[in-house]
Amino acid sequence: MSFVEEQIYAQYPTVHISEIEDYANMHDKEYASVLTTELKFINNDALPIKTFQSFEVDPLAAITATLAKFGDEEEAWIQMVVRPAAPNWHKRSEQYISGHKTKTIGVGSIASALWTPPDLKTETTKLTDYEQTRVSAAEEKSQKLAFETVLRIVYKGNITGSEAKLRLQSIIASYKQFNTTYLNGFEQSRVIDRQVEAYYRVRAIARNCFICNIEEVATLYHLPHTNVETPYILWSIAQTPNHQPIFR
């Protein structure tokens, strides 16, 4: 934790950091509708999602906008859990890249194959523009630090089940901005009731985690900037005795 604090202070020297009660266990209120889900990659982990360098505005704005009009009897939890990927994680990317660059073919007649196995020959294939885009993106992603990542959403509200599903879908849709046609993107796992909420409370890394490099992690979550102006959301700014602002 001290390392994280030091990095935050380095970027935001006037910020004040204080420890609070674990927010995941603060509320035990019962709600009529509770829906939970986790997001997963559409394609192979080797392929990247759209990152902040391709956005004209902070992508967090679209996510906070989906939460802006919640009523007093509604709440949503969006949780992103990361941990360092295994040191050999890039080998899966290498296998993916190699599989697109080469192909194995059998050499020999059909008749001879009845009593002798065909000779196998590996050839380098000429990639289409679509395939070359994927290979280049996978190579670039594999060159950066990587993390096993879980992205889960919990919605709770005293509204009807159909309305709750619409609320949850609107949050999921805000993550479609990271999808790219030829590369990767997000889709939801099946919607369930309580299991994901239990994972949320203990910040578990489930089996269906995916690999993000450090650039993708920074895109999906970073400290809010002052240029994220979401209607109906008020950023609380206070002053400590020595006139340093507090962001909550």
Side-chain angles (χ1 to χ4, degrees), residues 26-75:
M26 288 174 62
H27 305 291
D28 294 322
K29 183 177 179 179
E30 292 296 324
Y31 288 93
S33 297
V34 178
L35 296 175
T36 64
T37 191
E38 290 183 340
L39 300 185
K40 61 182 181 179
F41 274 168
I42 295 172
N43 292 316
N44 192 294
D45 283 6
L47 296 173
I49 58 172
K50 183 179 179 181
T51 59
F52 60 85
Q53 295 177 343
S54 302
F55 286 92
E56 295 183 1
V57 297
D58 193 329
L60 281 186
I63 298 172
T64 57
T66 62
L67 311 175
K69 292 187 177 181
F70 276 18
D72 294 337
E73 294 297 309
E74 295 178 276
E75 61 182 63

Side-chain angles (χ1 to χ4, degrees), residues 233-239 245-248:
I233 287 185
L234 300 178
W235 302 100
S236 176
I237 301 178
Q239 294 288 331
I246 303 175
F247 297 93
R248 298 185 186 278

Side-chain angles (χ1 to χ4, degrees), residues 9 38 65 67 74 76 94 96 108 117-118 127 158 186 201 205:
Y9 281 130
E38 290 183 340
L67 311 175
E74 295 178 276
E94 292 173 355
Y96 175 85
L127 302 179
N158 286 324
F186 290 110
R201 292 184 184 278
I205 297 285

Side-chain angles (χ1 to χ4, degrees), residues 216-234:
E216 293 171 304
V217 169
T219 300
L220 293 172
Y221 180 77
H222 48 273
L223 294 178
H225 194 271
T226 53
N227 61 9
V228 180
E229 298 179 356
T230 304
Y232 307 106
I233 287 185
L234 300 178

Side-chain angles (χ1 to χ4, degrees), residues 37-49 79-86 89 92 141 146-152 175 178 184-189 205-213 216-217 220:
T37 191
E38 290 183 340
L39 300 185
K40 61 182 181 179
F41 274 168
I42 295 172
N43 292 316
N44 192 294
D45 283 6
L47 296 173
I49 58 172
Q79 183 183 73
M80 181 175 171
V81 184
V82 299
R83 70 181 177 191
W89 74 272
R92 281 187 287 173
K141 176 173 178 175
F147 298 86
E148 293 181 349
T149 308
V150 172
L151 194 55
R152 54 178 62 103
Y175 281 89
F178 303 109
N184 223 331
F186 290 110
E187 63 182 1
Q188 71 179 73
S189 302
I205 297 285
R207 288 180 299 175
N208 59 342
C209 64
F210 47 88
I211 298 293
C212 283
N213 69 11
E216 293 171 304
V217 169
L220 293 172

